[in-house]
Amino acid sequence: MEIKLALIVDSETHDLDMHYGLETLKGTSDVTSKIAEAVLRNRAPGKVRPNNSVRTKLKYSAKGSFKQNFTIDISDPVLIKRANKIGKSAIAEVISYFIYEALHLHKETENLSLKAQKVIAEMEPFHDALMDKLREHLKDMHQISKYYCHNVTLSYCKPDDHQIIAELNQNTSIHLTETIVEKETFEIEAIINRYNTFTGTGRLLVKGDDGTVPFSFASDMHAVRLEIKKEISQNLDTNNAKNNDEYKYAKLKVSKAIRPATKEIIKYLIKGVYV
């Protein structure tokens, strides 16, 4: 079974720097195959090996500004059955969602198909592990944008149309790599709506805001006081059982990591709770 994709680099000519072009192709291969494997196996992806059942293959490329056709090849019959059940278009949606999630450019799941939403919800237990892997591979995928300012478009090739999965450029590269942690500590009231008790990471919604933001603890997990961990877990459990107008907000002592260019908050670092 094949899922046909295409990577287009807006190079203005048919030429492309070979070193950074290959780094971008490698990153694209890693990102798409890792997400596809996570979708189909419903677990965090492992290392790429010669006998992997989910792999990428280069295909014939049309002329124009540099374009590389390739496929995600699935050989395991069990995974083929799951892929057919989900649908290629929905898998492409999930790949798109996780690319932007890893870039801190969050897409609301409400705009996705019901099949894609269901798959993303099933992947929640290994969300953070997948994000860690993707961010490293996305650095490779951005090489041609970072060093040559070329825009990159990744698309899913439908029989009669193209479905854009991701559009990358210098700005998305900056989004991925350049952050600073401000020294100022302040208080927020927030709802915990995702939390991994093993890694100490998750997402929260600040009172009055529309979108959620990632968080982690300011110190290593083993150094975080038990009462802080309990407050975070209890807030998540409490709000999972309530309606929107009955949410219980936690008072948190935090600092923040931001993008210097845009001042956008990338992550809150929790230093304490106010009970």
Side-chain angles (χ1 to χ4, degrees), residues 27-95:
T28 303
S29 171
D30 289 334
V31 166
T32 54
S33 61
K34 285 285 193 293
I35 299 175
E37 183 185 357
V39 168
L40 299 176
R41 295 190 184 281
N42 202 25
R43 66 172 188 244
K47 293 182 178 180
V48 176
R49 301 185 186 281
N51 61 346
N52 274 22
S53 300
V54 181
R55 303 186 60 81
T56 50
K57 288 187 178 179
L58 296 176
K59 295 292 184 178
Y60 167 77
S61 298
K63 294 180 180 179
S65 88
F66 183 86
K67 180 180 180 181
Q68 180 62 61
N69 295 320
F70 68 102
T71 58
I72 298 173
D73 272 33
I74 307 162
S75 58
D76 186 313
V78 175
L79 301 186
I80 291 173
K81 184 177 180 180
R82 176 164 166 79
N84 284 326
K85 183 178 180 181
I86 296 170
K88 294 179 182 179
S89 186
I91 291 173
E93 286 184 88
V94 177
I95 292 173

Side-chain angles (χ1 to χ4, degrees), residues 217-264:
F217 294 113
S219 53
D220 291 338
M221 192 64 172
H222 71 272
V224 179
R225 297 199 312 274
L226 182 60
E227 58 265 32
I228 297 177
K229 297 176 184 178
K230 283 185 176 180
E231 180 68 21
I232 298 298
S233 295
Q234 287 173 1
N235 186 269
L236 176 67
D237 293 341
T238 299
N239 289 310
N240 277 342
K242 290 183 177 294
N243 297 320
N244 290 15
D245 55 350
E246 299 176 337
Y247 281 147
K248 176 186 176 183
Y249 287 86
K251 293 183 178 181
L252 307 172
K253 180 181 179 183
V254 300
S255 57
K256 59 186 178 183
I258 66 165
R259 299 281 181 217
T262 62
K263 302 298 182 184
E264 178 189 4

Side-chain angles (χ1 to χ4, degrees), residues 192-208:
I192 307 300
N193 61 357
R194 182 187 295 164
Y195 177 51
N196 186 317
T197 56
F198 297 102
T199 63
T201 59
R203 299 186 71 86
L204 57 77
L205 177 66
V206 176
K207 191 172 187 178

Side-chain angles (χ1 to χ4, degrees), residues 21-182:
L22 289 173
E23 287 288 318
T24 294
L25 284 172
K26 177 184 179 298
T28 303
S29 171
D30 289 334
V31 166
T32 54
S33 61
K34 285 285 193 293
I35 299 175
E37 183 185 357
V39 168
L40 299 176
R41 295 190 184 281
N42 202 25
R43 66 172 188 244
K47 293 182 178 180
V48 176
R49 301 185 186 281
N51 61 346
N52 274 22
S53 300
V54 181
R55 303 186 60 81
T56 50
K57 288 187 178 179
L58 296 176
K59 295 292 184 178
Y60 167 77
S61 298
K63 294 180 180 179
S65 88
F66 183 86
K67 180 180 180 181
Q68 180 62 61
N69 295 320
F70 68 102
T71 58
I72 298 173
D73 272 33
I74 307 162
S75 58
D76 186 313
V78 175
L79 301 186
I80 291 173
K81 184 177 180 180
R82 176 164 166 79
N84 284 326
K85 183 178 180 181
I86 296 170
K88 294 179 182 179
S89 186
I91 291 173
E93 286 184 88
V94 177
I95 292 173
S96 177
Y97 174 84
F98 280 114
I99 287 175
Y100 284 113
E101 181 85 353
L103 290 170
H104 307 288
L105 297 168
H106 310 293
K107 298 177 72 174
E108 295 300 327
T109 55
E110 288 81 2
N111 298 325
L112 302 177
S113 67
L114 291 178
K115 283 187 176 179
Q117 290 183 45
K118 184 174 184 288
V119 170
I120 290 167
E122 290 172 350
M123 296 169 71
E124 175 66 26
F126 52 90
H127 173 279
D128 295 326
L130 178 59
M131 289 296 99
D132 289 342
K133 289 181 181 291
L134 291 185
R135 288 185 179 119
E136 287 305 310
H137 298 317
L138 278 165
K139 291 176 184 176
D140 290 336
M141 195 172 173
H142 274 90
Q143 292 296 294
I144 206 70
S145 298
K146 181 177 179 180
Y147 291 103
Y148 284 86
C149 305
H150 296 326
N151 295 338
V152 174
T153 303
L154 176 65
S155 298
Y156 162 52
C157 303
K158 298 181 177 181
D160 56 353
D161 194 12
H162 278 202
Q163 174 182 332
I164 293 178
I165 292 175
E167 295 177 292
L168 309 181
N169 50 48
Q170 272 196 316
N171 288 334
T172 55
S173 177
I174 291 170
H175 240 272
L176 183 67
T177 59
E178 296 185 16
T179 62
I180 62 170
V181 177
E182 295 187 336

